[in-house]
Amino acid sequence: MRRILYGFIGSVLLLLTSCMSSDLVENWKNPEIDLFAAEKVLVLAMTNDVENRQRFEKKLVDELEKKGVNAVVSDQFFDKEYTQRPHTQEELDLLENAMLEEGFDAILVSKIIGAEDRKSLLQSYDGFDTLFNSFEEDYYTNQKIYAEDEYMDVYTVYHAESALYCICPTKERETIWKGSIDITQPESTRKAIKDYIKILLWVLEEQQLLIINDGKGI
């Protein structure tokens, strides 16, 4: 039954991501947590690109609020100068206490952790489902492979990561969930953000995290 369930989830995810620039690579959920319903979530994108950080956080907050989750962008909590220098563990402890005083009980953090260039055999892949009647037909159709520059496509894959942490008085920023998502050849930054958030929310819902108090998922 578990294999069937995993296969079903995988099929749904494949359909979801087939026309998107983001793909779920892996995700981990704290085995000690079945459900998690936060009263107030701080959304934080860690990047020095202020414009795209604000765009990402606002889009994610808007989508969460549509689903009944009380979420807040980081600019409403952090001072403008806060990210301008590194902070000590003691300072972060004070920050967590400030979050608790403001009613936050969870923080959803997202960031780009790396990038790599890849090559795609576009023409070869395009013909994968073609059934050739003969060797001559196969060779004639695919002989452009010998001219590598004509069918090799170089593209960049960005490796991103999101994590949901509990801001709890009795625990030290306990990890509730963590996921890795690859971003590939987005048509635009706006589409990349939209696709990433769609995958992120889908996974959180499947894992029964950030559910609203009436018991319905996000």
Side-chain angles (χ1 to χ4, degrees), residues 4-126:
I4 295 175
L5 177 61
Y6 287 166
F8 173 74
I9 293 176
S11 298
V12 173
L13 186 58
L14 179 61
L15 291 173
L16 180 65
T17 61
S18 59
C19 296
M20 299 174 66
S21 61
S22 296
D23 295 296
L24 178 67
V25 178
E26 61 181 349
N27 77 106
W28 174 89
K29 178 183 177 181
N30 190 326
E32 297 181 358
I33 298 175
D34 291 326
L35 306 174
F36 183 75
E39 295 294 330
K40 190 175 182 181
V41 181
L42 181 66
V43 171
L44 172 63
M46 298 183 68
T47 174
N48 58 6
D49 186 333
V50 177
E51 182 179 354
N52 282 323
R53 173 182 61 78
Q54 293 175 338
R55 181 179 292 131
F56 178 92
E57 291 182 2
K58 184 180 186 304
K59 176 66 175 176
L60 180 51
V61 166
D62 288 346
E63 293 302 317
L64 286 169
E65 290 183 338
K66 287 178 184 178
K67 299 174 185 297
V69 178
N70 183 13
V72 177
V73 298
S74 65
D75 279 348
Q76 294 184 22
F77 181 77
F78 289 97
D79 293 333
K80 292 182 178 180
E81 295 79 18
Y82 192 85
T83 60
Q84 300 304 309
R85 66 173 180 85
H87 294 278
T88 65
Q89 184 65 54
E90 289 74 17
E91 288 174 320
L92 293 176
D93 289 338
L94 291 175
L95 178 65
E96 182 177 6
N97 290 333
M99 289 182 186
L100 287 169
E101 292 177 1
E102 291 292 328
F104 290 100
D105 51 6
I107 179 168
L108 182 56
V109 182
S110 299
K111 56 186 177 292
I112 299 290
I113 58 175
E116 63 176 306
D117 290 334
R118 293 184 182 176
K119 291 184 178 181
S120 174
L121 308 183
L122 292 180
Q123 298 297 330
S124 178
Y125 179 79
D126 288 343

Side-chain angles (χ1 to χ4, degrees), residues 122-134 137-142 144:
L122 292 180
Q123 298 297 330
S124 178
Y125 179 79
D126 288 343
F128 181 77
D129 293 330
T130 303
L131 181 62
F132 298 109
N133 295 319
S134 66
E137 184 180 355
D138 188 351
Y139 187 94
Y140 178 80
T141 301
N142 291 288
K144 55 185 172 290

